Amino acid sequence: MEHHSDSQKLPNWLMLVIFITIMTVLFIFGDLFTFIIGIFIMAGIFAGGYDKNPANHEHH
């Protein structure tokens, strides 16, 4: 028997708010290189989380 933890999924609007907040912090406190690299890294992380969100698959 496998044990699966039932973690609650974040709503899409909250994921967007968190993404914009992190990007704003990188823009204000980092330099241009850090901001550009941070955009690519965070976009990859959040895109992966968005694809795993089951709410996105129920409309297909």
Side-chain angles (χ1 to χ4, degrees), residues 20-32 34-35 39:
I20 292 172
T21 303
I22 292 172
M23 289 296 104
T24 303
V25 169
L26 282 176
F27 181 75
I28 293 172
F29 296 110
D31 57 358
L32 182 61
T34 304
F35 179 68
I39 286 175

Side-chain angles (χ1 to χ4, degrees), residues 50 53-60:
Y50 183 78
N53 192 344
N56 300 325
H57 299 290
E58 64 188 29
H59 297 292
H60 295 273

Side-chain angles (χ1 to χ4, degrees), residues 10-24 46 50:
L10 293 176
N12 290 336
W13 65 269
L14 184 58
M15 288 178 61
L16 183 63
V17 168
I18 293 170
F19 179 78
I20 292 172
T21 303
I22 292 172
M23 289 296 104
T24 303
F46 277 84
Y50 183 78

